[in-house]
Amino acid sequence: MNRMKIKALLPILLALAAIGTQAENLYDEQTYRPLASDKRAHLPGDAITVLIYENSSATTSADTNVQRNTNAGLQASADQHAHQAAIGTNATFDGGGTIQRSDNLLAQITATVDHIAPNGDLWIKGEQVVEINSDKQRIKIEGRIRTLDISDSNTVPSNRVAEAKISYLGDGDLASHQKPGWISRFFSWAGL
């Protein structure tokens, strides 16, 4: 008898189960990637490694030489008495200076695709913080890359990042000891 009740209830239970479930498609056109597809970043949220090779150097030199002479004279004579007066100024200024700066930054940072530009370029953003003995080194990168510039290993050199904003900041004991103290800054400000 139990079997008959189960057989009678089985179609009802199946109908109720079918009502509560819906089929989901495993294929999503926006995120689908075949196993043999290209693994380079091309969607928001994808990761890409930026190889930062930045070298810059600049030299500025200035020489200044200014000379100024001003003379004024007055002479008067009457009855064999002569009176003379003269005023003169002379100023000379020589100045010069040289500024030389050289920077070199080598790093690898993995950034994330933030959004896609209308022309298909990828806007990326990434940050890396390394802390060693309470010294923090922070590298940030933002910019726009062409999908053509992404290598097969999903990397792009920093000189291929358009509108790049690369910052490298240090904070901690080492960075604070590289700055002049407040007494030195005061004397520099006062021109002493």
Side-chain angles (χ1 to χ4, degrees), residues 50-128:
V50 180
L51 308 173
I52 301 174
Y53 303 116
E54 294 296 325
N55 292 312
S56 63
S57 62
T59 302
T60 303
S61 178
D63 289 323
T64 305
N65 187 357
V66 177
Q67 292 182 346
R68 176 189 246 175
N69 290 321
T70 304
N71 290 317
L74 176 64
Q75 184 176 9
S77 62
D79 297 335
Q80 298 180 355
H81 295 290
H83 300 288
Q84 290 183 347
I87 298 174
T89 62
N90 185 10
T92 302
F93 173 76
D94 285 326
T98 301
I99 298 174
Q100 191 169 13
R101 182 178 181 110
S102 178
D103 296 311
N104 188 12
L105 177 61
L106 300 173
Q108 290 184 15
I109 182 170
T110 300
T112 305
V113 176
D114 190 48
H115 62 279
I116 300 173
N119 67 350
D121 288 352
L122 307 176
W123 283 93
I124 61 166
K125 215 184 258 192
E127 180 176 2
Q128 179 180 14

Side-chain angles (χ1 to χ4, degrees), residues 9-27:
L9 290 176
L10 188 60
I12 296 171
L13 290 174
L14 288 175
L16 289 174
I19 293 172
T21 60
Q22 296 178 357
E24 282 190 37
N25 192 352
L26 297 177
Y27 172 75

